[in-house]
Amino acid sequence: MTQTELLIQLLINGVTIGSYLALIALGYTMVYGIIELINFAHGDIYMLGFMISLTLLGVLGVRGTLGGWELWAVLIGVMLATMLCTGLLNMTIDRLAYKPLRRAPRLAPLITAVGMSFMLENLAMIWKGSSQIFYPNVFPMIDIPNQVLGMKTNVLFTTKDVLLIGVTVPLMVGLSLFIRNTKMGKAMRATAQDREAAALMGIDAENVIRTTFFVGGALAGTAGMIVGLYLNTGRYLMGFDAGLLAFTSAVLGGIGNVTGAMLGGFFIGFLQAFSDQYLSSEWTRIIVFTTLILVLVFRPSGLLGQRTPDKL
Amino acid sequence: MALLELDDVHVYYGNIHALKGVSLTVDKGEIVTLIGSNGAGKSTTLKTISGLKHPKQGKITLEGKRIDAVEPHRVVTMGVCQAPEGRRIFPRLTVLENLEMGAFHRNDKAGIVEDVERVFELFPRLRERRRQQGGTLSGGEQQMLAIGRALMSRPQLLLLDEPSMGLSPILVETIFQIIQEIHAQGTPILLVEQNALMALQVAQRGYVLQTGRIVLQDTVENLAQNEMVRRAYLGET
Amino acid sequence: MAHDGVESVNIDFRALLTKVKASGADLVYGGFLVDSGGPQIAQQMDALGMFKAGVKFMSEDAMYSDAVPKAVSPEALNGNLYVTFSSPALDQLPTKTGQNFYKNYKAKYNGDPIGWSIYSYNAMLVILDSIKRAAPQIDAAKDVAAKRQAVLDAMTATKDLEGVAGPITFDKNGDVVTALFSGFLFKDGKYVWQRNISGDMKCQ
């Protein structure tokens, strides 16, 4: 592998890791923006997206690689169903665990979120076991530069990378457009900026919060499914790990800021790819969290944040 | 039947008894002002009408319908909208988006466009700045935006909380002219003001609130003659 | 030669494996458990085309499990996965105890035992044997603590007990004196015994 090939490969790795982290980070940042809660259970919604889509594929009897219309029908069908399930699940979690604490001191829902995270992880462990879980290799893997473009290179860029980016990036763009242009999106921003004033304008804050949890859950669920298709493996604790990095991405980008969360996700993705290569993967987490600390010290509102995030 | 009626409304913040039996009415076609010093309960009264606070005792009716247990966003749908104290515009929404939020419960696109136009006619400054973020506006412009935003819901009753606060004397004049114009176009207004002098000029009737109680109610002409009002609120010695 | 570490909860090792790939390494050795990323490493080595490029993967007894070929297709692993394990091939177990264990295990669970099953079976043998040998002392002991001590004493004195893969004897540190190690290669859908590894366990 030449240095150039290596560099390209690292960029590809960074983008792929970053794209699913960014998709998860959006849920953290949106919920924080509206109710100032770090929803620690959010990473586990991503994990459940993996589990639920896996179960749905099992119900459909999908075990191996598909092709043609069957592939797209299964992918789109399972993805929509997964989004619906994780979205509703996230909404239910809010209803049961966080809504009764809406007026309580901030620490109460925060601790509840940590508890909710443990609960979901353990339920998933009971449901699917504690070992790693294999996800069927549904999506065909074709080495694009070598097999399609006829190049001779050691850079690995496959149809699976295309799938990952092709799903996550449009979803992020779609969410940005939704928040920027739709009435509900504007109401979400208004509620995030001033909940009482929003209520005085006739905006039902609870409805906005429900929508936020639904959208965040659906995005995290999609990330779980896509990672399943991409890595073909997962585990009940996968949400803890990815959630921590995604949360860091959200804070790095400026928590509450949607564009910032996406930027933060890609930033962490690149950081991970380059640190694994040039330092050591044992150091990667230290690098990630040190960067977070540095950003918070020198730019407390994150890269794109508009206000100082409240201390936890 | 009065448009809005508060009947013996008691409101508490925890143990603090903020409103101790407030009764007042606003009729169609009126500007009614509520004057009083800081902490008298003026804003609390408006918050309670808007549903942000719920009275522990007493009732509030809008055209005979009880609204004292209604959630704030439903109160707007029923026809009462407030430009709150401190303006509370959405700082990172554009002027246009702020106005759209005022019309949140409406679905008549054509009507909304028409009303945005009407607000821009009232406040030409806002038209110039319609793509600007609310937070970048000056204090006076923000107040205009807050009033315009409240008008976007096509309220049957407009609640204004301290619209003159923090504004230069010229801007205060402008704002009060516009208040009269809005009234002339047919929207009744309940106006809360510390600037009693201005308030008594534009309103027809007034109430004086002291430590959670209505101590005086009369036409503005009589209030302006009242010894206590002159001393306490009009700055005469 | 290079050394690196991973987080046990991580599932995405592509960045690390890209580094290994770029380094031109011939072999990846990882002390993994089946639950701590081992199968994922094998799977992602396959996905990155490392097996095709001739890189081998080696791990220890905890990866002597069906979980690995389940994660990666047996074809991709063929000839590419080595594991070490403290036993000879299961069908060449030298002791009667071992042969019986293998036969009964297969009959009961309908599959080959993994590394842990053999270890726990051996451990149970040691415990039962210790209790048996300590029986007189246990009877004579005055309280529970003394009974426990009697069993523990008998356990450390274990000598030439016939275990699954050979006699078990502990030294004064409680280590097994005679340990038989062998290397396996995953081939044709199963782990195939390759050769025994020096039994003196001395570090060089």
Side-chain angles (χ1 to χ4, degrees), chain B residues 162-192:
Chain B
E162 306 270 10
S164 74
M165 194 165 63
L167 299 186
S168 68
I170 297 177
L171 270 172
V172 172
E173 287 282 348
T174 315
I175 293 285
F176 274 93
Q177 273 169 22
I178 287 162
I179 290 172
Q180 281 173 303
E181 205 171 322
I182 293 167
H183 172 245
Q185 288 176 15
T187 309
I189 296 169
L190 176 57
L191 172 67
V192 160

Side-chain angles (χ1 to χ4, degrees), chain C residues 33-201:
Chain C
L33 300 181
V34 158
D35 283 347
S36 72
Q40 276 107 337
I41 291 272
Q43 194 182 29
Q44 286 164 32
M45 281 178 74
D46 177 36
L48 293 177
M50 292 170 73
F51 290 142
K52 279 200 198 90
V55 186
K56 312 282 182 198
F57 182 37
M58 183 171 177
S59 194
E60 31 46 54
D61 45 1
M63 287 276 281
Y64 183 78
S65 157
D66 280 350
V68 189
K70 259 192 210 154
V72 193
S73 67
E75 298 78 48
L77 278 182
N78 202 23
N80 290 320
L81 169 68
Y82 292 90
V83 294
T84 55
F85 184 46
S86 67
S87 144
L90 289 167
D91 50 9
Q92 293 168 25
L93 289 168
T95 65
K96 190 110 189 97
T97 311
Q99 287 152 15
N100 282 339
F101 163 74
Y102 184 45
K103 199 173 75 205
N104 294 339
Y105 189 100
K106 272 187 88 143
K108 174 133 195 186
Y109 298 107
N110 197 24
D112 275 356
I114 62 166
W116 298 135
S117 357
I118 297 177
Y119 293 151
S120 26
Y121 190 79
N122 268 345
M124 198 66 208
L125 285 178
V126 170
I127 294 167
L128 292 175
D129 175 66
S130 311
I131 296 173
K132 206 181 286 169
R133 279 187 290 112
Q137 287 91 318
I138 295 172
D139 289 337
K142 285 194 280 295
D143 55 12
V144 181
K147 288 182 188 186
R148 284 180 185 154
Q149 195 53 48
V151 176
L152 286 175
D153 291 341
M155 197 180 288
T156 41
T158 299
K159 196 167 184 320
D160 293 330
L161 169 71
E162 189 180 279
V164 172
I168 299 168
T169 302
F170 294 127
D171 66 11
K172 66 179 195 313
N173 297 323
D175 286 330
V176 188
V177 175
T178 49
L180 176 66
F181 256 85
S182 49
F184 290 77
L185 174 63
F186 188 82
K187 217 172 167 183
D188 301 329
K190 55 182 186 295
Y191 294 93
V192 182
W193 177 84
Q194 297 293 300
R195 65 187 60 177
N196 288 336
I197 298 169
S198 160
D200 59 11
M201 302 286 286

Side-chain angles (χ1 to χ4, degrees), chain A residues 266-282:
Chain A
F266 285 107
F267 187 87
I268 298 282
F270 285 122
L271 206 59
Q272 189 165 3
F274 280 87
S275 154
D276 273 13
Q277 175 66 35
Y278 293 110
L279 288 156
S280 159
S281 62
E282 287 153 314

